[in-house]
Amino acid sequence: MDFQETHEGLTEDNARRAMLTACNSAGLPTRPDAKLLRLGENALFALPDVGVVVRVARSTEMADRVAKELAVARWLAGHRFPSVHPTDASQPVEADGRLVTFWEYVPDSSTPDSVTVLAALLRDLHALPNPDFPLPVLDPFPIMRRRLDVVSGIRREDVRFLTEACDNAEGEFRDLVASSPQQLVHGDAHRGNVLLDGGRALLIDYEATAKGPLAWDLVPTAIAVDRFGLAPAEYADFVRTYGIDVTKWHGYPVLRITRELGMTTWLMQMAQSGPAADEFALRMESLRKGDHERRWHAL
């Protein structure tokens, strides 16, 4: 299937236009006032009256990732893993140069207070067999480089620093992944990607799912102690629930810097003004200084 490409950054306005166009194509109600749930790598809009969340990807260049996300979600559903399912609609839908998918809406959902919920989900996810369809080898660098290539409104010296930091980190990361067992990893395993549906915890967002070292899924929670103020006692509970402390692994420093570059280039896409710009400046300063304990803030 051929898609029209767009390199315009994802904003609430253009994502909403794509959402409305896709809903019209899919026979869903068009709600110009649909609630925006999240704006980041994707934009998510809620249509609670029909039980659907509409997910708008940044561009049609994400076609492989979108197709993989749908395949993984359907595979997890087949294994009765607690996850969010795509609807039965024919998807993805191309709209205004972006790809749109449709997912079940979880009403009255919230994120868990404790990271042990995430630890239990990851433990069970990692116990599943590898899927019976191809998955890419874990490699976050192409999307980081794409962000750096297309970003606008960011100082050139910041883009240059992040580009060089990716150059410096990529070789060690690839060597580490190549020398590690290739197992199913979620790819973006943080507490924000867990929804509580009543008493049931659901793992969501499979866009970054890949084959790689299981440690990759444990790194975000470990980083959160230094960067986001997670209490050491809470991290200890996470370790007890999952069964491994990733900070003791020899590959942790390599995975940590790669993850932090990913988080920073993700934020860079929204950092032209406002709180995101202030947070981006803080992260850049800490990365330049090699300050691994500087507190960051989730946006």
Side-chain angles (χ1 to χ4, degrees), residues 18-31:
M19 178 269 296
L20 293 172
T21 299
C23 285
N24 185 60
S25 297
L28 290 170
T30 52
R31 299 279 191 267

Side-chain angles (χ1 to χ4, degrees), residues 1 23 31 33 43 48-49 64 68 124-125 161 180 185 188 191 215-216 228 255 280 291:
M1 184 181 296
C23 285
R31 299 279 191 267
D33 59 347
D49 52 337
D64 289 345
K68 176 191 65 177
D124 294 345
L125 178 74
F161 173 86
S180 302
V185 294
D188 192 21
R191 189 161 43 184
W216 180 250
F228 299 107
L255 295 186
F280 179 69
D291 184 350

Side-chain angles (χ1 to χ4, degrees), residues 109-128:
S109 62
S110 60
T111 55
D113 293 329
S114 171
V115 291
T116 58
V117 175
L118 173 62
L121 284 169
L122 291 176
R123 181 192 62 209
D124 294 345
L125 178 74
H126 293 165
L128 292 174

Side-chain angles (χ1 to χ4, degrees), residues 90-274:
S90 178
Q91 50 183 320
V93 172
E94 191 275 330
D96 293 346
R98 306 184 193 279
L99 289 181
V100 180
T101 51
F102 307 98
W103 300 79
E104 65 176 333
Y105 172 71
V106 180
D108 303 321
S109 62
S110 60
T111 55
D113 293 329
S114 171
V115 291
T116 58
V117 175
L118 173 62
L121 284 169
L122 291 176
R123 181 192 62 209
D124 294 345
L125 178 74
H126 293 165
L128 292 174
N130 282 329
D132 54 359
F133 53 87
L135 281 176
V137 173
L138 179 68
D139 185 3
F141 285 92
I143 194 166
M144 287 195 274
R145 293 191 184 282
R146 181 183 179 280
R147 292 167 184 163
L148 291 163
D149 287 343
V150 303
V151 73
S152 61
I154 299 297
R155 296 188 312 167
R156 280 182 292 180
E157 53 263 43
D158 288 340
V159 175
R160 183 166 54 249
F161 173 86
L162 289 170
T163 300
E164 292 174 356
C166 286
D167 292 342
N168 292 334
E170 188 170 7
E172 280 190 290
F173 179 86
R174 291 188 187 281
D175 289 345
L176 183 66
V177 170
S179 64
S180 302
Q182 304 294 300
Q183 296 173 267
L184 173 69
V185 294
H186 176 271
D188 192 21
H190 56 85
R191 189 161 43 184
N193 276 333
V194 178
L195 291 184
L196 294 180
D197 179 15
R200 190 168 69 124
L202 307 174
L203 188 63
I204 67 171
D205 193 355
Y206 323 111
E207 189 177 57
T209 299
K211 295 185 298 183
L214 300 182
W216 180 250
D217 281 347
L218 308 179
V219 167
T221 306
I223 290 174
V225 176
D226 292 331
R227 291 305 196 193
F228 299 107
L230 180 69
E234 288 189 74
Y235 180 66
D237 289 341
F238 177 91
V239 169
R240 276 192 293 272
T241 301
Y242 184 85
I244 292 174
D245 182 356
V246 71
T247 67
K248 307 299 184 184
W249 187 48
H250 73 91
Y252 175 67
V254 174
L255 295 186
R256 173 172 177 161
I257 186 57
T258 302
R259 176 71 186 180
E260 290 188 347
L261 288 171
M263 290 190 290
T264 303
T265 58
W266 172 84
L267 179 65
M268 175 189 68
Q269 300 171 110
M270 291 81 73
Q272 286 72 21
S273 62

Side-chain angles (χ1 to χ4, degrees), residues 43-81:
L44 277 65
F45 295 91
L47 301 177
D49 52 337
V50 291
V52 172
V53 167
V54 184
R55 184 181 178 100
V56 181
R58 283 186 168 266
S59 80
T60 56
E61 293 178 358
M62 311 286 284
D64 289 345
R65 289 169 66 92
V66 170
K68 176 191 65 177
E69 183 174 30
L70 291 167
V72 169
R74 290 166 179 149
W75 181 82
L76 289 174
H79 282 266
R80 300 186 181 278
F81 184 84

